[in-house]
Amino acid sequence: MSFTASSEIGNVFVQTTHHRGFTVEEIAERAMNKVLKVDSEESLKHVLIKYLREAQESERKEMRNKLLQTGHIDAANHIGDL
């Protein structure tokens, strides 16, 4: 689900999911929109790090949810602690 709004301070874009993490495609689309706006190599590095971390977190969320759904609560809690 996506939501875009404009205000006096600029544009706001919010993207959410329901009981899942973001897909690689969803993260890549947001990263691409940011990468196209960076003005230096240092800025590019920060953008890439942000979205790579987001991809890692999303994958852990997916794994945790699947473990919880199959009754592996202890393993899910350990993944949640990472």
Side-chain angles (χ1 to χ4, degrees):
M1 175 184 300
S2 297
F3 174 75
T4 304
S6 295
S7 71
E8 290 181 24
I9 59 170
N11 293 331
V12 176
F13 177 76
V14 177
Q15 187 176 31
T16 63
T17 62
H18 186 66
H19 296 293
R20 66 173 179 85
F22 289 103
T23 66
V24 174
E25 293 80 9
E26 290 166 338
I27 294 169
E29 182 178 347
R30 287 197 328 277
M32 183 180 66
N33 290 333
K34 274 287 208 197
V35 165
L36 294 174
K37 297 176 185 174
V38 298
D39 58 355
S40 70
E41 194 172 308
E42 189 66 22
S43 294
L44 175 61
K45 180 180 176 181
H46 288 297
V47 168
L48 292 175
I49 288 170
K50 176 188 185 296
Y51 286 100
L52 289 170
R53 283 186 178 146
E54 185 177 323
Q56 289 175 321
E57 290 173 18
S58 186
E59 182 178 42
R60 282 194 295 268
K61 182 177 184 177
E62 285 285 323
M63 289 172 35
R64 186 175 187 280
N65 286 342
K66 288 182 184 193
L67 287 168
L68 286 172
Q69 290 170 359
T70 57
H72 301 284
I73 296 167
D74 287 341
N77 289 335
H78 287 297
I79 289 175
D81 293 338
L82 294 177

